[in-house]
Amino acid sequence: MSDAHAGGCLVEALRPALSFVETRRAKTTAQQIAICEIPAPTFHEEHRARFVGKLLRPMSLSSISTDGVGNLVAVRRGAEGRRCIVVAAHLDTVFGSGVAPQVVQSGRRGQVLKAPGIADNAGGLATMLAVADALDHARIRTRHDVLFVGSVCEEALGNLRGVRHLLRQASFRRRVAGFIALDGANPKKLVTSGPAIRRYRVTFRARGGHSWGRFGTPSPIHCAGRLIARLASMRVPDRPRTTFNVGIVSDGDEPAGRAGVIVTAVPASAAIEVDLRSETARSLDRLDRAFRSAIERALKEERHFATRDAESLRARVECIGDRPAGRTRRNAPIVRAALESYAQFGLPLDCICASTDATFPMVAGIPAVTIPQGGRGHNTHTLDERIDLTGRERAIKAALLLVVRLAGLA
């Protein structure tokens, strides 16, 4: 029997669950809005985790708990239970505690939602809840256990801490037959690989002083500027895709504070935070070496132009994030199953490389993909983030079909 035919037969078997996805459309939207409006900065996801756990509680799950780093883990027992499928959606957002999202609805049927984090990743969590609820409503029994996970620390400096902790135990890793992350609101993208990433904080320090009285003393901000200019002028390869970004300029002692104190003073410190990425570790290593060389040249230039206190200028480089590259083969069964599941509902997917929770399981040798949550997102990671929910239920049905294909129908 072909994969397509097998998928079609499974669709018929899942008809009650798939119909329920449509029935709960308004509920899914309401949950996505409610989740979004609970702030969840990286390292501070506990309030959102409790809320999502409360939404899972009425379902037929054998356990709902929070692990040692804050991951929310809900277990749906299978008929056999020797293996498990992980379905994960990250709880955290890129926004700090000062951002309190308030969702605004617009569009003909209120299908456009706007708020920071409404797509990434309130949408992924809402889709995870819809899949779990549909399985429960239709009393679908799978062979393998299904673990629904609200993971912490996926974004930025979280460094995939949640999923790293989840898969830390080798005995548990051996039980995981597949890992599905729900993340991203591009309806055409299937993540089958993750880039190697390194993030650095470079802190420049010098004596500082009055802008008039101590003119000529080296400036940490000027030195940071020289480094930024050098980075901005670097050429990186298109293949393997390689990127860099200076995302933050701040005070050297307080990363949340601005660099410098007053316009009439040469600051004593300044810091920048840099993101380096590549599809391969080798290309990232080359970029890393070029980055470190740029630091030394920036220091040398700023000292050269100083007329006093030149040797007071120094730099400290801290690695604040390190993610290895991961990959699931494009002909792997989990990739074929994902492509077929989405095609079954008229959603053809392209395989891409992106950093998600699926990267770490890929590195650990676990078949893993990141699938679209449904709808189409815009301006992700900005205060103007929004999502058009048109077509969302088709993506939820495809996710449901993929989960059951991997977990097996009992």
Side-chain angles (χ1 to χ4, degrees), residues 165-247:
H165 179 85
L166 184 73
L167 299 175
R168 184 176 60 187
Q169 293 184 336
S171 58
F172 175 71
R173 274 203 309 273
R174 287 193 291 269
R175 283 194 63 222
V176 180
F179 186 104
I180 301 168
L182 282 158
D183 195 1
N186 185 320
K188 296 184 178 181
K189 302 301 183 184
L190 175 71
V191 179
T192 57
S193 61
I197 301 175
R198 284 183 205 141
R199 295 182 175 122
Y200 291 100
R201 180 181 292 120
V202 185
T203 303
F204 296 98
R205 297 185 186 280
R207 178 172 177 173
H210 195 285
S211 62
W212 176 264
R214 294 203 67 81
F215 180 74
T217 195
S219 167
I221 288 183
H222 292 182
C223 195
R226 294 181 192 279
L227 173 58
I228 293 170
R230 287 194 171 279
L231 293 176
S233 300
M234 286 198 312
R235 292 289 180 263
V236 291
D238 293 328
R239 292 187 180 181
R241 188 180 181 199
T242 303
T243 67
F244 57 85
N245 181 60
V246 178

Side-chain angles (χ1 to χ4, degrees), residues 10 13-14 76-81 135 138-146 403-410:
L10 193 53
L14 295 176
R76 191 175 194 272
R77 291 292 180 203
E80 298 174 5
L135 290 172
R139 299 182 180 178
I140 302 297
R141 193 85 189 276
T142 58
R143 292 200 314 274
H144 300 328
D145 292 351
V146 179
V403 170
V404 177
R405 289 182 77 150
L406 297 180
L409 199 58

Side-chain angles (χ1 to χ4, degrees), residues 384-405:
D384 192 41
E385 187 171 336
R386 62 187 186 275
I387 186 168
D388 185 335
L389 301 177
T390 303
R392 179 188 60 189
E393 274 56 43
R394 283 193 296 158
I396 295 174
K397 292 174 186 178
L400 172 62
L401 176 59
L402 176 60
V403 170
V404 177
R405 289 182 77 150

Side-chain angles (χ1 to χ4, degrees), residues 317-333:
V317 182
E318 302 170 82
C319 183
I320 55 176
D322 192 353
R323 303 185 185 189
R327 181 173 175 267
T328 298
R329 292 179 295 105
R330 294 196 178 187
N331 63 348

